[in-house]
Amino acid sequence: MTMTMTQAAAGRRPGRTAHRWLLAAAVLVLTAMVLLPVAIIVFTAFKPTTEINAFPPTLVPASWTLENFTRIFTDLPFARLFLNSFLFAGGVTLFALTFDSLAAYALARLDFRGNRLLLIAIVASLMIPFQATLIPVYQLVAQLGWVNTFAGLIIPRAADAFGIFFLRQFFVSLPRDLDNAARIDGAGEFRVFRSIILPNAVPALLTLAIFTFVNNWNDLLWPLVFTTTPDMGTITSGLTLLTGPSGIIPYGTMMAGSLIAVLPLAVMFLIMQRRFIESVATTGLK
C-alpha cells in the first residue's frame, strides 16, 4: 500500500515540475512584454539623436548622454508643467474624495425619497462616453470664464460617478450598529460620517485616491482642451508641443520628459505599495 502511494506520488512529480516550468516561462514572457515599452523609454531617453534615428534600431544605447534631459528644461517650461500636473491631479483628488464620500454616505446611510432613483442615475451616467459630454462642459466652463485656469481644470472633475458608486458600495458593507450607537450618544450625521464612517473606510478612500490621482496625472485630452497657453499646461499636454527643425519630433527629449513624468507615480506606488495592496484586498473582502 505504502509502495503504491509512493510510486504514484513519484509519477506525478514530473508532471507537476513541467507545469511549474511552463507557468514560470509564461510569467517571464508576460513580464518581458510589459517591461519592454518601459525599457525602450528609459534607453531612448539616454540616446543621442543620431543613434535614435539610426537604422537598424538598437535597444541599449552605444553612447549614453544626458542631452535629452537638459533639452526638456530648455525647450519647455518643464518645472512649471510639473507643478501644474501636481496641482491638477492633487486638487481633483482632494475634491473628489470629499464630495464622493459625502454623496456616497447619503446614498448608503440615509433613507430619503428618491434614493434608489438617484443611485440608478449615477450608475447610468457611467455608461455615457466621456467625449459626449466634453463639448457641453467646455461651453459651460467658457461661459464662466474658467478656460485656461485651475478652476476650469479641477472643478468640473470635483466629483465622479464611479467614485460615488465605489464608496457607496463600501459604506453599505459597514455595520449599521456603529452608526446607531453613535446616534444614541447624541452624535449628528456629520459626526457619524467623520468619526465612524471615514476611519473605517480608509482602505477604500486610499484606493480611490490612488486611481484618481494617477488617471488625472496621465490625462492628455482634458488639459489640451481646457488650457490655451503652455504655462498652464500639464506634463502630458506640454510634451505634445515638442517639435524639432522642420517639424521633426525629438523622440529622445520626449522620452526623457515621459520618464521624469513617470517617476513621481513610481515613487508614490513604491512607498504606498503595501498599504495599497491591503486596501484592495480589504475592499474585496468587504
Side-chain angles (χ1 to χ4, degrees):
M1 180 70 176
T2 305
M3 183 67 68
T4 303
M5 294 178 61
T6 303
Q7 292 175 351
R12 287 195 300 266
R13 285 175 186 171
R16 290 183 178 179
T17 303
H19 176 73
R20 290 176 180 175
W21 278 106
L22 289 175
L23 183 60
V27 171
L28 289 176
V29 171
L30 291 175
T31 303
M33 292 174 61
V34 172
L35 294 181
L36 181 59
V38 180
I40 293 175
I41 292 175
V42 173
F43 290 134
T44 305
F46 291 95
K47 285 182 180 181
T49 304
T50 54
E51 192 171 343
I52 294 174
N53 298 327
F55 186 85
T58 58
L59 179 61
V60 181
S63 58
W64 297 72
T65 179
L66 296 176
E67 178 187 359
N68 296 317
F69 291 92
T70 57
R71 281 193 60 188
I72 194 66
F73 287 95
T74 57
D75 294 355
L76 291 174
F78 198 75
R80 174 70 181 183
L81 297 177
F82 191 92
L83 177 62
N84 291 347
S85 293
F86 182 80
L87 293 176
F88 168 54
V92 171
T93 301
L94 290 177
F95 277 110
L97 288 179
T98 301
F99 295 128
D100 290 355
S101 60
L102 287 169
Y105 174 78
L107 292 171
R109 291 317 226 216
L110 303 181
D111 296 325
F112 58 91
R113 194 171 185 179
N115 184 313
R116 182 65 60 178
L117 183 61
L118 183 59
L119 177 62
I120 293 174
I122 291 175
V123 174
S125 67
L126 293 173
M127 305 176 188
I128 301 175
F130 161 71
Q131 294 80 2
T133 61
L134 186 60
I135 294 178
V137 172
Y138 179 82
Q139 291 176 339
L140 178 61
V141 171
Q143 291 173 1
L144 293 172
W146 288 352
V147 175
N148 205 43
T149 65
F150 284 111
L153 284 172
I154 296 173
I155 292 180
R157 291 193 163 189
D160 179 66
F162 170 77
I164 296 173
F165 178 72
F166 175 77
L167 293 179
R168 187 261 178 190
Q169 296 302 106
F170 191 92
F171 291 168
V172 167
S173 67
L174 297 177
R176 283 185 174 267
D177 294 341
L178 300 174
D179 309 22
N180 297 332
R183 292 189 182 94
I184 291 174
D185 291 339
E189 291 298 335
F190 187 75
R191 179 68 181 274
V192 172
F193 169 74
R194 185 188 64 185
S195 302
I196 304 297
I197 299 298
L198 290 185
N200 286 282
V202 170
L205 292 171
L206 181 60
T207 302
L208 181 61
I210 293 175
F211 280 119
T212 303
F213 186 88
V214 171
N215 288 337
N216 285 278
W217 180 276
N218 293 329
D219 197 350
L220 171 63
L221 181 59
W222 190 269
L224 279 178
V225 172
F226 289 91
T227 60
T228 56
T229 58
D231 63 319
M232 277 301 300
T234 60
I235 292 179
T236 52
S237 63
L239 290 177
T240 62
L241 302 176
L242 284 174
T243 54
S246 303
I248 299 175
I249 299 176
Y251 290 104
T253 308
M254 184 171 291
M255 294 302 103
S258 301
L259 183 59
I260 297 175
V262 169
L263 287 179
L265 302 181
V267 172
M268 180 184 69
F269 185 78
L270 289 176
I271 294 175
M272 305 176 66
Q273 179 181 9
R274 178 176 299 179
R275 186 60 174 166
F276 174 74
I277 295 173
E278 292 176 356
S279 301
V280 175
T282 306
T283 304
L285 292 175
K286 290 288 183 179

